[in-house]
Amino acid sequence: MPTPAARRAVRPGDARQTDAGADDGSVGGRVGGRTDGTAQSPAGPAVGSAEWDLLTDDVRWSAEMFRLLGCDPGRGPLSLDRLPDRLAEADRPQLRRMMTDALVHGRHAFGTLQVCHPDGGRGTVECAGEPVLGNDGTVTALRMLLRPADLA
């Protein structure tokens, strides 16, 4: 069972707002002190946020998540099993370990990953993931934040 510390972390989905600030259930909210969903740090670029609900198969991504991963918002967000497809082959095992830490062991996961965009471009992102626990202590969802690694 996860420790109390594993239950606390940045909660990217706490304020369920889109980039426009509408309350439509998409992930956005308070990151970097903003409440309009743009999640901008003081330096400017936004942080991408996502949540995969394991009970309902609902997936919610912020607009910045689509941009950072080079995904078309018109096609919808990627499922957890398709997420590694966006990474450099060498980084896929690291993402799988991070997902196992969060989903199986109920721990926070952190790492730096190389993203491969459909146009052939690449980008490096810092990734932070956390499990969302149900009342019985089981993992019910995964939340993830991404930001460009050059902001660190």
Side-chain angles (χ1 to χ4, degrees), residues 38-41 43-49 64-65 67-69 111-113 115 117 122-128 145-152:
T38 58
Q40 288 189 345
S41 70
V47 173
S49 60
E64 192 64 13
M65 188 75 160
R67 190 190 72 72
L68 287 169
L69 291 177
T112 301
L113 305 167
V115 176
H117 297 283
R122 290 187 178 232
T124 304
V125 295
E126 290 183 342
C127 175
L145 294 175
L146 292 183
R147 74 174 182 177
D150 59 354
L151 292 180

Side-chain angles (χ1 to χ4, degrees), residues 70-109:
C71 294
D72 177 3
R75 294 185 161 206
L78 297 174
S79 62
L80 277 176
D81 62 326
R82 299 303 310 229
L83 191 59
D85 297 348
R86 278 293 192 231
L87 300 182
E89 188 71 37
D91 285 352
R92 292 177 187 178
Q94 179 183 354
L95 178 65
R96 288 186 191 102
R97 280 190 301 275
M98 291 169 60
M99 289 170 50
T100 298
D101 279 349
L103 298 173
V104 175
H105 304 295
R107 297 188 294 237
H108 291 85

